[in-house]
């Protein structure tokens, strides 16, 4: 009788536990708040202002919920945000991470990126960008005739030929660049005004801290040195003078890159390294306005030589500036590392890179023509 009583009591206990189990089950998809965009703004060295946007499914119109909190780390922010939302917060659909310029300069983005990188819920295709002003303002902004902010930013930051002047880095790409012994990261730099967001230049980093910018034009050359074959088109202007010193009308050229091929080699000794860069570009002359008659072979060849000289000058000027800043977004240190016999560190690479000379050779092939005057 006693055994029967224990058996009945055990069964009742198990049944009661099963009854409570439904309360602890994982929430259904419609009960999840899927974070699409996460923004980080500077407060001080201990606190971060974290803002997230969550798309809300709707039959009539796309809408977004925005939540914000202060925290010292990403995991703490998620705990705080969970108490504000009526649904269960999840990072499984995170697609974009934004950092304010102030935070990227004063603190560095490495700690936040590594926290998210180590989170198994966060996927691989999460893009990163730096914004002018506050990331919170970008997330809360109203954008005319645009999809909701999660879709808008995700589409904007996907790599395209037209915006291939910046490394559109995912969270995995950035960790690779940040921990590399032969290069420094760069990220898209966004501004928002008049209901639009625009990628205007690239943010330049030293390890994980932003130190400056480079222009779209410089970014196209950097991407060429990194081995990107398809580059955005570039325009060139030339101002020539006659023998009497009178200026001729400005000559304008629009060149559409079909293919770029770069070879980077280190020459000379380790005391006086020389980085030899051979850049060969093939493309279409899609626009020309000037006094040359390009049907005449000599004048056509003169124009090509002017293009080669201009690309070379801009490349050398840019590389010398990077060298003075102590950053290497074009990964030129790799050519020195290949010849180095001892233990290699980033400090070793930067020391050699800072005293290297650059020998740039440019060859332009024009394989087609567009609108010419």
């Amino acid at each position: 009788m006693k055994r029967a009583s224990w058996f009945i009591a055990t069964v009742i206990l198990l049944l009661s536990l099963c009854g409570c189990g439904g309360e602890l089950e994982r929430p259904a998809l419609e009960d999840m708040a899927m974070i699409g965009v996460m923004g980080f703004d500077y407060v001080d060295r201990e606190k971060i202002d974290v803002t997230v946007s969550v798309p809300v499914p709707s039959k009539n119109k796309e809408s977004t919920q925005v939540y914000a909190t202060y925290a010292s780390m990403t995991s703490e922010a998620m705990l705080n945000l969970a108490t504000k939302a009526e649904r269960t917060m999840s990072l499984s659909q995170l697609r974009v991470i934004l950092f304010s310029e102030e935070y990227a300069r004063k603190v560095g983005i490495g700690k936040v990126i590594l926290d998210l990188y180590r989170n198994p819920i966060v996927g691989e295709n999460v893009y990163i960008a730096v914004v002018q002003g506050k990331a919170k303002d970008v997330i809360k902004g109203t954008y005319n005739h645009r999809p909701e902010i999660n879709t808008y930013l995700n589409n904007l930051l996907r790599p395209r030929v037209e915006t291939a002047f910046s490394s559109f880095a995912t969270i995995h790409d950035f960790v690779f660049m940040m921990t590399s012994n032969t290069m420094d990261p760069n990220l898209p730099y966004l501004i928002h005004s008049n209901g639009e967001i625009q990628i205007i230049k690239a943010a330049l980093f030293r390890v994980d801290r932003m130190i400056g910018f480079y222009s779209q034009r410089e970014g196209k050359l950097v991407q060429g040195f990194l081995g990107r074959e398809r580059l955005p088109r570039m325009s060139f202007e030339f101002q020539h003078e006659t023998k009497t010193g009178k200026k001729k009308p400005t000559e304008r050229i629009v060149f559409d890159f079909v293919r770029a091929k770069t070879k980077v080699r280190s020459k000379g000794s380790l005391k006086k390294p020389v980085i030899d860069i051979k850049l060969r570009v093939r493309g279409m002359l899609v626009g020309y306005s000037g006094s040359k008659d390009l049907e005449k072979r000599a004048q056509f060849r003169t124009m090509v030589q002017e293009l080669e000289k201009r690309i070379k000058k801009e490349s050398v000027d840019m590389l010398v500036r990077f060298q003075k800043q102590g950053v290497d977004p074009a990964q030129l240190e790799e050519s020195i590392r290949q010849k180095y016999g001892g233990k290699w560190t980033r400090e070793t690479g930067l020391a050699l890179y800072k005293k290297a000379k650059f020998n740039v050779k440019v060859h332009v092939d024009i394989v087609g023509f567009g609108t010419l005057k």
Side-chain angles (χ1 to χ4, degrees), residues 100-135:
S100 69
E101 180 182 345
E102 184 181 22
Y103 185 85
R105 284 184 182 273
K106 291 183 176 179
V107 180
I109 68 176
K111 182 180 177 183
V112 170
I113 293 297
L114 288 174
D115 282 348
L116 292 169
Y117 177 75
R118 293 174 181 133
N119 190 331
I121 297 176
V122 178
E124 296 183 0
N125 297 320
V126 182
Y127 291 99
I128 311 169
V130 178
V131 302
Q132 183 185 62
K134 291 186 176 293

mmCIF file of all heavy atoms in Angstrom, residues 100-135:
data_model
loop_
_atom_site.group_PDB
_atom_site.id
_atom_site.type_symbol
_atom_site.label_atom_id
_atom_site.label_comp_id
_atom_site.label_asym_id
_atom_site.label_seq_id
_atom_site.Cartn_x
_atom_site.Cartn_y
_atom_site.Cartn_z
ATOM 1 N N SER A 100 29.192 54.985 -34.093
ATOM 2 C CA SER A 100 29.393 56.413 -34.289
ATOM 3 C C SER A 100 30.882 56.683 -34.463
ATOM 4 O O SER A 100 31.729 55.957 -33.932
ATOM 5 C CB SER A 100 28.846 57.204 -33.102
ATOM 6 O OG SER A 100 29.631 56.975 -31.948
ATOM 7 N N GLU A 101 31.197 57.739 -35.206
ATOM 8 C CA GLU A 101 32.599 58.101 -35.411
ATOM 9 C C GLU A 101 33.285 58.374 -34.072
ATOM 10 O O GLU A 101 34.439 57.982 -33.859
ATOM 11 C CB GLU A 101 32.695 59.325 -36.312
ATOM 12 C CG GLU A 101 34.128 59.776 -36.579
ATOM 13 C CD GLU A 101 34.207 61.016 -37.432
ATOM 14 O OE1 GLU A 101 33.200 61.387 -38.067
ATOM 15 O OE2 GLU A 101 35.292 61.639 -37.448
ATOM 16 N N GLU A 102 32.580 59.026 -33.153
ATOM 17 C CA GLU A 102 33.155 59.349 -31.847
ATOM 18 C C GLU A 102 33.557 58.087 -31.092
ATOM 19 O O GLU A 102 34.640 58.009 -30.514
ATOM 20 C CB GLU A 102 32.153 60.158 -31.020
ATOM 21 C CG GLU A 102 32.697 60.635 -29.685
ATOM 22 C CD GLU A 102 31.690 61.423 -28.872
ATOM 23 O OE1 GLU A 102 30.472 61.261 -29.120
ATOM 24 O OE2 GLU A 102 32.105 62.178 -27.980
ATOM 25 N N TYR A 103 32.677 57.074 -31.108
ATOM 26 C CA TYR A 103 32.991 55.824 -30.411
ATOM 27 C C TYR A 103 34.169 55.116 -31.081
ATOM 28 O O TYR A 103 35.075 54.608 -30.411
ATOM 29 C CB TYR A 103 31.762 54.913 -30.410
ATOM 30 C CG TYR A 103 31.959 53.660 -29.604
ATOM 31 C CD1 TYR A 103 31.733 53.645 -28.236
ATOM 32 C CD2 TYR A 103 32.396 52.477 -30.207
ATOM 33 C CE1 TYR A 103 31.928 52.501 -27.483
ATOM 34 C CE2 TYR A 103 32.598 51.336 -29.471
ATOM 35 C CZ TYR A 103 32.357 51.343 -28.110
ATOM 36 O OH TYR A 103 32.579 50.207 -27.374
ATOM 37 N N ALA A 104 34.166 55.079 -32.419
ATOM 38 C CA ALA A 104 35.236 54.385 -33.138
ATOM 39 C C ALA A 104 36.589 55.048 -32.912
ATOM 40 O O ALA A 104 37.618 54.366 -32.862
ATOM 41 C CB ALA A 104 34.913 54.350 -34.633
ATOM 42 N N ARG A 105 36.603 56.371 -32.733
ATOM 43 C CA ARG A 105 37.869 57.084 -32.513
ATOM 44 C C ARG A 105 38.332 56.983 -31.066
ATOM 45 O O ARG A 105 39.512 56.761 -30.796
ATOM 46 C CB ARG A 105 37.712 58.558 -32.900
ATOM 47 C CG ARG A 105 37.717 58.829 -34.404
ATOM 48 C CD ARG A 105 37.654 60.327 -34.652
ATOM 49 N NE ARG A 105 37.617 60.672 -36.065
ATOM 50 C CZ ARG A 105 38.685 60.835 -36.845
ATOM 51 N NH1 ARG A 105 39.892 60.647 -36.342
ATOM 52 N NH2 ARG A 105 38.559 61.172 -38.115
ATOM 53 N N LYS A 106 37.421 57.171 -30.108
ATOM 54 C CA LYS A 106 37.813 57.282 -28.706
ATOM 55 C C LYS A 106 38.017 55.940 -28.020
ATOM 56 O O LYS A 106 38.872 55.803 -27.144
ATOM 57 C CB LYS A 106 36.771 58.097 -27.935
ATOM 58 C CG LYS A 106 36.747 59.560 -28.310
ATOM 59 C CD LYS A 106 35.754 60.330 -27.461
ATOM 60 C CE LYS A 106 35.798 61.826 -27.775
ATOM 61 N NZ LYS A 106 34.822 62.590 -26.960
ATOM 62 N N VAL A 107 37.225 54.954 -28.387
ATOM 63 C CA VAL A 107 37.266 53.660 -27.695
ATOM 64 C C VAL A 107 37.835 52.567 -28.583
ATOM 65 O O VAL A 107 38.648 51.748 -28.156
ATOM 66 C CB VAL A 107 35.858 53.255 -27.189
ATOM 67 C CG1 VAL A 107 35.917 51.914 -26.467
ATOM 68 C CG2 VAL A 107 35.289 54.332 -26.274
ATOM 69 N N GLY A 108 37.430 52.549 -29.854
ATOM 70 C CA GLY A 108 37.778 51.430 -30.729
ATOM 71 C C GLY A 108 36.650 50.415 -30.723
ATOM 72 O O GLY A 108 35.973 50.223 -29.705
ATOM 73 N N ILE A 109 36.458 49.756 -31.835
ATOM 74 C CA ILE A 109 35.292 48.878 -31.981
ATOM 75 C C ILE A 109 35.619 47.404 -31.768
ATOM 76 O O ILE A 109 34.748 46.552 -31.870
ATOM 77 C CB ILE A 109 34.635 49.075 -33.368
ATOM 78 C CG1 ILE A 109 35.544 48.554 -34.483
ATOM 79 C CG2 ILE A 109 34.327 50.548 -33.600
ATOM 80 C CD1 ILE A 109 34.918 48.643 -35.860
ATOM 81 N N GLY A 110 36.875 47.096 -31.432
ATOM 82 C CA GLY A 110 37.303 45.702 -31.345
ATOM 83 C C GLY A 110 36.569 44.893 -30.289
ATOM 84 O O GLY A 110 36.170 43.752 -30.539
ATOM 85 N N LYS A 111 36.367 45.452 -29.092
ATOM 86 C CA LYS A 111 35.730 44.702 -28.019
ATOM 87 C C LYS A 111 34.307 44.305 -28.384
ATOM 88 O O LYS A 111 33.895 43.152 -28.198
ATOM 89 C CB LYS A 111 35.726 45.532 -26.732
ATOM 90 C CG LYS A 111 35.116 44.811 -25.546
ATOM 91 C CD LYS A 111 35.123 45.680 -24.291
ATOM 92 C CE LYS A 111 34.435 44.954 -23.133
ATOM 93 N NZ LYS A 111 34.369 45.800 -21.917
ATOM 94 N N VAL A 112 33.551 45.259 -28.916
ATOM 95 C CA VAL A 112 32.170 44.965 -29.308
ATOM 96 C C VAL A 112 32.128 43.920 -30.410
ATOM 97 O O VAL A 112 31.339 42.966 -30.373
ATOM 98 C CB VAL A 112 31.452 46.258 -29.760
ATOM 99 C CG1 VAL A 112 30.106 45.934 -30.395
ATOM 100 C CG2 VAL A 112 31.270 47.203 -28.587
ATOM 101 N N ILE A 113 32.977 44.090 -31.416
ATOM 102 C CA ILE A 113 32.996 43.153 -32.542
ATOM 103 C C ILE A 113 33.334 41.738 -32.071
ATOM 104 O O ILE A 113 32.693 40.759 -32.475
ATOM 105 C CB ILE A 113 34.002 43.622 -33.616
ATOM 106 C CG1 ILE A 113 33.518 44.912 -34.268
ATOM 107 C CG2 ILE A 113 34.212 42.543 -34.672
ATOM 108 C CD1 ILE A 113 32.215 44.788 -35.008
ATOM 109 N N LEU A 114 34.333 41.609 -31.197
ATOM 110 C CA LEU A 114 34.722 40.279 -30.715
ATOM 111 C C LEU A 114 33.628 39.658 -29.858
ATOM 112 O O LEU A 114 33.414 38.439 -29.905
ATOM 113 C CB LEU A 114 36.031 40.363 -29.936
ATOM 114 C CG LEU A 114 37.281 40.624 -30.789
ATOM 115 C CD1 LEU A 114 38.501 40.832 -29.905
ATOM 116 C CD2 LEU A 114 37.535 39.476 -31.765
ATOM 117 N N ASP A 115 32.912 40.471 -29.065
ATOM 118 C CA ASP A 115 31.785 39.946 -28.278
ATOM 119 C C ASP A 115 30.730 39.328 -29.187
ATOM 120 O O ASP A 115 30.216 38.240 -28.921
ATOM 121 C CB ASP A 115 31.152 41.060 -27.440
ATOM 122 C CG ASP A 115 31.960 41.374 -26.190
ATOM 123 O OD1 ASP A 115 32.866 40.588 -25.868
ATOM 124 O OD2 ASP A 115 31.683 42.412 -25.551
ATOM 125 N N LEU A 116 30.408 40.025 -30.258
ATOM 126 C CA LEU A 116 29.393 39.522 -31.190
ATOM 127 C C LEU A 116 29.933 38.371 -32.031
ATOM 128 O O LEU A 116 29.212 37.438 -32.377
ATOM 129 C CB LEU A 116 28.906 40.662 -32.082
ATOM 130 C CG LEU A 116 28.106 41.758 -31.367
ATOM 131 C CD1 LEU A 116 27.905 42.955 -32.279
ATOM 132 C CD2 LEU A 116 26.767 41.216 -30.889
ATOM 133 N N TYR A 117 31.213 38.456 -32.395
ATOM 134 C CA TYR A 117 31.848 37.401 -33.190
ATOM 135 C C TYR A 117 31.822 36.057 -32.452
ATOM 136 O O TYR A 117 31.643 35.003 -33.067
ATOM 137 C CB TYR A 117 33.287 37.823 -33.487
ATOM 138 C CG TYR A 117 34.112 36.810 -34.241
ATOM 139 C CD1 TYR A 117 33.919 36.595 -35.603
ATOM 140 C CD2 TYR A 117 35.095 36.068 -33.592
ATOM 141 C CE1 TYR A 117 34.683 35.685 -36.303
ATOM 142 C CE2 TYR A 117 35.874 35.157 -34.287
ATOM 143 C CZ TYR A 117 35.665 34.964 -35.630
ATOM 144 O OH TYR A 117 36.428 34.047 -36.318
ATOM 145 N N ARG A 118 31.992 36.098 -31.134
ATOM 146 C CA ARG A 118 32.017 34.868 -30.335
ATOM 147 C C ARG A 118 30.629 34.354 -29.990
ATOM 148 O O ARG A 118 30.491 33.272 -29.435
ATOM 149 C CB ARG A 118 32.799 35.125 -29.044
ATOM 150 C CG ARG A 118 34.287 35.392 -29.279
ATOM 151 C CD ARG A 118 34.983 35.770 -28.003
ATOM 152 N NE ARG A 118 36.405 36.058 -28.228
ATOM 153 C CZ ARG A 118 37.039 37.108 -27.746
ATOM 154 N NH1 ARG A 118 36.396 37.984 -26.981
ATOM 155 N NH2 ARG A 118 38.330 37.293 -27.991
ATOM 156 N N ASN A 119 29.607 35.142 -30.301
ATOM 157 C CA ASN A 119 28.232 34.729 -30.014
ATOM 158 C C ASN A 119 27.763 33.774 -31.115
ATOM 159 O O ASN A 119 27.669 34.171 -32.286
ATOM 160 C CB ASN A 119 27.327 35.954 -29.965
ATOM 161 C CG ASN A 119 25.941 35.628 -29.439
ATOM 162 O OD1 ASN A 119 25.451 34.514 -29.607
ATOM 163 N ND2 ASN A 119 25.310 36.599 -28.817
ATOM 164 N N PRO A 120 27.466 32.519 -30.791
ATOM 165 C CA PRO A 120 27.106 31.549 -31.836
ATOM 166 C C PRO A 120 25.798 31.864 -32.547
ATOM 167 O O PRO A 120 25.542 31.354 -33.638
ATOM 168 C CB PRO A 120 27.000 30.226 -31.064
ATOM 169 C CG PRO A 120 26.730 30.616 -29.649
ATOM 170 C CD PRO A 120 27.432 31.915 -29.439
ATOM 171 N N ILE A 121 24.971 32.720 -31.960
ATOM 172 C CA ILE A 121 23.686 33.063 -32.584
ATOM 173 C C ILE A 121 23.881 34.031 -33.744
ATOM 174 O O ILE A 121 23.137 34.017 -34.722
ATOM 175 C CB ILE A 121 22.734 33.671 -31.527
ATOM 176 C CG1 ILE A 121 22.420 32.639 -30.448
ATOM 177 C CG2 ILE A 121 21.437 34.145 -32.167
ATOM 178 C CD1 ILE A 121 21.579 33.178 -29.319
ATOM 179 N N VAL A 122 24.899 34.884 -33.670
ATOM 180 C CA VAL A 122 25.131 35.898 -34.701
ATOM 181 C C VAL A 122 25.669 35.240 -35.970
ATOM 182 O O VAL A 122 26.620 34.458 -35.925
ATOM 183 C CB VAL A 122 26.127 36.967 -34.189
ATOM 184 C CG1 VAL A 122 26.413 37.987 -35.284
ATOM 185 C CG2 VAL A 122 25.573 37.649 -32.947
ATOM 186 N N GLY A 123 25.049 35.551 -37.090
ATOM 187 C CA GLY A 123 25.434 34.930 -38.354
ATOM 188 C C GLY A 123 26.679 35.533 -38.968
ATOM 189 O O GLY A 123 27.298 36.454 -38.424
ATOM 190 N N GLU A 124 27.048 35.036 -40.154
ATOM 191 C CA GLU A 124 28.268 35.475 -40.833
ATOM 192 C C GLU A 124 28.070 36.745 -41.652
ATOM 193 O O GLU A 124 28.989 37.545 -41.780
ATOM 194 C CB GLU A 124 28.775 34.358 -41.755
ATOM 195 C CG GLU A 124 29.209 33.098 -41.015
ATOM 196 C CD GLU A 124 29.759 32.049 -41.964
ATOM 197 O OE1 GLU A 124 29.786 32.325 -43.183
ATOM 198 O OE2 GLU A 124 30.135 30.970 -41.492
ATOM 199 N N ASN A 125 26.877 36.936 -42.211
ATOM 200 C CA ASN A 125 26.657 38.053 -43.126
ATOM 201 C C ASN A 125 26.152 39.294 -42.391
ATOM 202 O O ASN A 125 25.085 39.824 -42.685
ATOM 203 C CB ASN A 125 25.669 37.647 -44.222
ATOM 204 C CG ASN A 125 26.204 36.524 -45.069
ATOM 205 O OD1 ASN A 125 27.387 36.501 -45.399
ATOM 206 N ND2 ASN A 125 25.351 35.581 -45.429
ATOM 207 N N VAL A 126 26.948 39.758 -41.441
ATOM 208 C CA VAL A 126 26.625 40.963 -40.683
ATOM 209 C C VAL A 126 27.610 42.049 -41.100
ATOM 210 O O VAL A 126 28.815 41.929 -40.866
ATOM 211 C CB VAL A 126 26.720 40.718 -39.162
ATOM 212 C CG1 VAL A 126 26.321 41.970 -38.401
ATOM 213 C CG2 VAL A 126 25.848 39.542 -38.746
ATOM 214 N N TYR A 127 27.117 43.122 -41.730
ATOM 215 C CA TYR A 127 27.989 44.181 -42.235
ATOM 216 C C TYR A 127 28.195 45.264 -41.180
ATOM 217 O O TYR A 127 27.336 45.502 -40.332
ATOM 218 C CB TYR A 127 27.403 44.782 -43.512
ATOM 219 C CG TYR A 127 27.438 43.826 -44.671
ATOM 220 C CD1 TYR A 127 26.305 43.095 -45.033
ATOM 221 C CD2 TYR A 127 28.607 43.624 -45.393
ATOM 222 C CE1 TYR A 127 26.346 42.196 -46.091
ATOM 223 C CE2 TYR A 127 28.654 42.732 -46.455
ATOM 224 C CZ TYR A 127 27.517 42.017 -46.794
ATOM 225 O OH TYR A 127 27.559 41.120 -47.834
ATOM 226 N N ILE A 128 29.352 45.920 -41.259
ATOM 227 C CA ILE A 128 29.734 46.935 -40.280
ATOM 228 C C ILE A 128 29.975 48.254 -41.003
ATOM 229 O O ILE A 128 30.513 48.277 -42.117
ATOM 230 C CB ILE A 128 31.024 46.519 -39.544
ATOM 231 C CG1 ILE A 128 30.923 45.087 -39.033
ATOM 232 C CG2 ILE A 128 31.310 47.460 -38.372
ATOM 233 C CD1 ILE A 128 32.253 44.528 -38.532
ATOM 234 N N ALA A 129 29.584 49.365 -40.375
ATOM 235 C CA ALA A 129 29.834 50.691 -40.939
ATOM 236 C C ALA A 129 30.009 51.695 -39.813
ATOM 237 O O ALA A 129 29.564 51.474 -38.687
ATOM 238 C CB ALA A 129 28.692 51.119 -41.854
ATOM 239 N N VAL A 130 30.677 52.817 -40.146
ATOM 240 C CA VAL A 130 30.838 53.943 -39.228
ATOM 241 C C VAL A 130 29.955 55.073 -39.730
ATOM 242 O O VAL A 130 29.848 55.302 -40.940
ATOM 243 C CB VAL A 130 32.310 54.392 -39.172
ATOM 244 C CG1 VAL A 130 32.476 55.599 -38.252
ATOM 245 C CG2 VAL A 130 33.206 53.251 -38.709
ATOM 246 N N VAL A 131 29.308 55.794 -38.802
ATOM 247 C CA VAL A 131 28.397 56.858 -39.204
ATOM 248 C C VAL A 131 28.853 58.198 -38.651
ATOM 249 O O VAL A 131 29.475 58.280 -37.590
ATOM 250 C CB VAL A 131 26.946 56.587 -38.738
ATOM 251 C CG1 VAL A 131 26.448 55.266 -39.281
ATOM 252 C CG2 VAL A 131 26.840 56.633 -37.227
ATOM 253 N N GLN A 132 28.566 59.239 -39.401
ATOM 254 C CA GLN A 132 28.789 60.602 -38.921
ATOM 255 C C GLN A 132 27.702 60.933 -37.903
ATOM 256 O O GLN A 132 26.531 60.649 -38.116
ATOM 257 C CB GLN A 132 28.721 61.574 -40.094
ATOM 258 C CG GLN A 132 29.016 63.011 -39.743
ATOM 259 C CD GLN A 132 28.817 63.913 -40.937
ATOM 260 O OE1 GLN A 132 27.715 64.032 -41.467
ATOM 261 N NE2 GLN A 132 29.896 64.542 -41.398
ATOM 262 N N GLY A 133 28.078 61.526 -36.794
ATOM 263 C CA GLY A 133 27.094 61.802 -35.756
ATOM 264 C C GLY A 133 26.817 60.567 -34.930
ATOM 265 O O GLY A 133 27.720 59.779 -34.641
ATOM 266 N N LYS A 134 25.557 60.374 -34.561
ATOM 267 C CA LYS A 134 25.173 59.256 -33.704
ATOM 268 C C LYS A 134 24.525 58.134 -34.504
ATOM 269 O O LYS A 134 23.702 58.380 -35.385
ATOM 270 C CB LYS A 134 24.216 59.728 -32.611
ATOM 271 C CG LYS A 134 24.869 60.634 -31.567
ATOM 272 C CD LYS A 134 23.913 60.931 -30.441
ATOM 273 C CE LYS A 134 24.602 61.752 -29.357
ATOM 274 N NZ LYS A 134 25.657 60.976 -28.673
ATOM 275 N N ALA A 135 24.877 56.901 -34.152
ATOM 276 C CA ALA A 135 24.253 55.742 -34.787
ATOM 277 C C ALA A 135 22.763 55.701 -34.452
ATOM 278 O O ALA A 135 21.935 55.272 -35.267
ATOM 279 C CB ALA A 135 24.942 54.460 -34.319
#
